[in-house]
Every structure is written in structure tokens, then in C-alpha cells.
Amino acid sequence: MELVATELNPVPSQPVITPVTTADGIVLRAVRWRATARRTRGTVCLVQGRAEFIEKYFETVADLRRRGFAVVAFDWRGQGGSQRDLANPRKGHVDDFSLYERDLAAIVDQVILPRCPPPYFVLAHSMGGTILLHALRGKKTPFARLVTVAPMIDIAMVPWPRAARVLSEMLDACGFGASYVPGGGATSISTKPFAGNRLTSDPVRYARNAEIAARAPELAVGDPTVAWLDAAYRAMGAFSDPGFALDVRTPVLVVAAGADPVVSTPATERFAARLKTGRAIVIPGARHEILMERDGIRDQFWAAFDAFVPGSEGALPDQVESSLSAAS
């Protein structure tokens, strides 16, 4: 449950670490921080993507606290400092994405609602965006607004997606769900060489995250399992239902990466166009991890975020667009 610091990535001051137990008995690592600004504007729940961990987001935590937000961050089951389902802790595994919604519900019930100031907002990356959109569909949640960064609406990095979907389903049904995806292994994406990486064009932030994974290898996971991929395709397949986006009533800002080789930006834009209470903006030149990108790209993200959160009733497309243009 400890937070890991490095010279380039110190722990933000005064963290309150809380173990959280889900309805099915999984223990999650969670942490909360108070705002550092004089006026508290609410709480942001920081929701990570696949194979990530709280420590990657220390810079983002500091950015949010300076803006007047308390922050809650946690590790999904099967990664970071949270409990694993499999004996091999390097496998990124889940049987169904609805289990991640149990994680979110536990964080809301045990940390956010009883211990954090309202109103409540969510900042979700990649897989986290997939989970939050499902959680918001036709359901009541405490979250007033969602900002989702490079959400996993569809995967771009798989060469033959239809074949991969069928293969993962078949392998999972045949009992190979706990195996790595074909060609996968235990090496964390955070420790692979910077050259040719899919995540960011910023070598300093990339090296910072690699140092964390090297210092605390127990936080990192390798490639996903067959079951995770099968579950991901099922979760993403639901987005093709025209009624899905219409059932999301919470205001949503989708921030997509213009040079994203991991998830499909065109698919993200098509989905966001169907949202009744949301819209998408695309940051040119950004790779998948926008919050880990170089300063110019991050400045554009934060300009859009500041125009949308905390916000007021109704969407703010003009304000978001003008803020993004000013920062670019």
C-alpha cells in the first residue's frame, strides 16, 4: 500500500492511503489528497488505464490540487498496488469489465462520498474511459462531469481486429483465458525503449515512468491475458449500439490524441458525436498518454479541462474550443 517515490517523481504532500475492499473481496490500493489552493472546488477521481499505477499520475495530482481540487486515485484490480486475481502478478487480467465497475463502486462508497468534498468529477484515461462510460450509462452516479482522455472505444494497434476478437473469444472459451495474449509476455510497456514507443513524445516523462517501474517492479504488469482482451472487445462492442451514447446523461468531454497508435481516434470521434451531453476535441500530434506528453500538448489539455470543469449546467463547446485554440 506504500507509495513509491523517485528523485524525478516525489510523492505529493500529505497523502492519505486507504485500503479498499470490493464487494467480491478484492483489496485495492487507494489514496486521497486535499486541495492545495485556498478554495476547494470539489473532488476529482483520477482513473487510470490498463497496466498503470498511481505513481504515474503524481504530476497530474499536483496540477489538480493547484486548481483547487481534492484528488482520489486508485489502482484497478490486477495492477499497481492492488490485489491480483492470478498467481502470476505480471499478467494483466480480468474476466469481465463489470468487475472494474465493482472497483469503482467501492472507491465511491468507501472513499469519495464519506471523505471528500463535493461536487465530484472524473478524469479517466484509456481503459478507464471505457469503464466510466459503462458506469454512467443509464445509471445514477455522484459524478457531475467526466473528462475522458484517449478513451478505449476501439483498439487501433491490433492488425486484424475482427480476427483478434474471434480468436480471443475462442481461446477464452477453450480455457486459455489466464494465458498471455499470443505473442505477449511479462515485460512492462513502461520499461520498453523510448524510441518507437506508442505512449508519448516526451522523453523526460517517459524516462520518469520507466524509473518508477524499475524501482518498484511489483507495481507493473506485462501484456494482457486472453480473458482481458476478450472482455475488452465485449466492452468496446457495446459502444456500437446507437442507444449507448444516448443513455449517457452526464456531461462528457472527450479529449482524443491526434497521433494515437493505441486506440482509434476516428472511432472515438464517431462515438462522441452521438453523445447528447458531450463532445470531442482532438489534440494534434499527441500520442496515447496525453497527460504524459510534452508541455505544449499538456497545456492544450488543461485549457480544455479548465473550460469544462467544474462548469455549470449545460455543455460548454464554445468555451472549450476557444480555450483549446488559445493554448495551441
Side-chain angles (χ1 to χ4, degrees):
M1 291 293 163
E2 295 291 328
L3 295 173
V4 177
T6 66
E7 185 176 352
L8 296 176
N9 196 54
V11 178
S13 62
Q14 298 181 314
V16 179
I17 302 170
T18 306
V20 171
T21 302
T22 67
D24 55 338
I26 298 295
V27 179
L28 309 176
R29 182 178 67 152
V31 60
R32 57 189 169 91
W33 286 271
R34 292 182 177 180
T36 53
R38 289 187 177 181
R39 183 172 69 92
T40 299
R41 304 167 71 192
T43 299
V44 173
C45 181
L46 187 54
V47 177
Q48 61 193 230
R50 194 200 79 81
E52 295 191 301
F53 38 82
I54 294 168
E55 284 80 355
K56 282 185 66 173
Y57 288 92
F58 284 170
E59 181 181 18
T60 302
V61 169
D63 291 333
L64 289 167
R65 296 177 78 196
R66 282 194 296 268
R67 284 170 164 77
F69 296 103
V71 180
V72 172
F74 67 97
D75 292 328
W76 295 115
R77 64 177 65 205
Q79 61 189 53
S82 291
Q83 186 176 335
R84 309 290 198 261
D85 282 333
L86 301 179
N88 184 346
R90 301 294 293 185
K91 291 182 175 180
H93 178 78
V94 78
D95 287 318
D96 192 83
F97 272 35
S98 63
L99 297 174
Y100 290 135
E101 292 189 53
R102 292 185 187 179
D103 297 351
L104 180 66
I107 296 297
V108 168
D109 292 343
Q110 298 176 43
V111 181
I112 294 176
L113 291 179
R115 303 180 182 183
C116 299
Y120 305 119
F121 308 97
V122 187
L123 173 55
H125 174 245
S126 193
M127 181 187 80
T130 307
I131 298 162
L132 260 298
L133 288 168
H134 276 269
L136 294 175
R137 184 187 186 188
K139 302 171 186 174
K140 289 184 178 181
T141 74
F143 301 118
R145 294 196 168 207
L146 165 64
V147 178
T148 178
V149 186
M152 193 179 71
I153 303 299
D154 196 8
I155 298 174
M157 59 189 288
V158 177
W160 299 284
R162 290 184 181 179
R165 181 171 186 174
V166 171
L167 180 61
S168 64
E169 184 177 6
M170 291 176 56
L171 290 173
D172 198 10
C174 291
F176 295 98
S179 301
Y180 283 116
V181 293
T187 302
S188 167
I189 192 172
S190 297
T191 60
K192 295 179 180 180
F194 173 76
N197 87 87
R198 302 182 179 100
L199 304 180
T200 176
S201 61
D202 189 308
V204 175
R205 289 187 173 95
Y206 190 86
R208 177 193 68 192
N209 294 336
E211 184 183 11
I212 301 166
R215 177 77 60 85
E218 69 277 6
L219 297 178
V221 297
D223 292 312
T225 62
V226 167
W228 183 93
L229 186 60
D230 186 25
Y233 275 122
R234 291 197 304 272
M236 293 185 295
F239 294 137
S240 62
D241 177 358
F244 190 110
L246 298 179
D247 288 339
V248 177
R249 307 299 173 84
T250 302
V252 178
L253 174 63
V254 179
V255 184
D260 195 333
V262 177
V263 302
S264 171
T265 295
T268 297
E269 291 182 282
R270 288 192 296 270
F271 174 80
R274 299 194 296 269
L275 289 167
K276 293 184 67 174
T277 57
R279 62 154 306 161
I281 59 172
V282 179
I283 300 182
R287 296 185 198 173
H288 184 57
E289 293 187 346
I290 292 174
L291 292 167
M292 312 293 162
E293 266 286 7
R294 58 189 187 272
D295 288 347
I297 289 173
R298 293 182 85 254
D299 288 346
Q300 292 179 66
F301 166 79
W302 285 116
F305 180 94
D306 291 340
F308 189 72
V309 179
S312 57
E313 286 298 318
L316 300 171
D318 295 335
Q319 291 182 39
V320 171
E321 193 66 48
S322 61
S323 297
L324 182 63
S325 299
S328 62

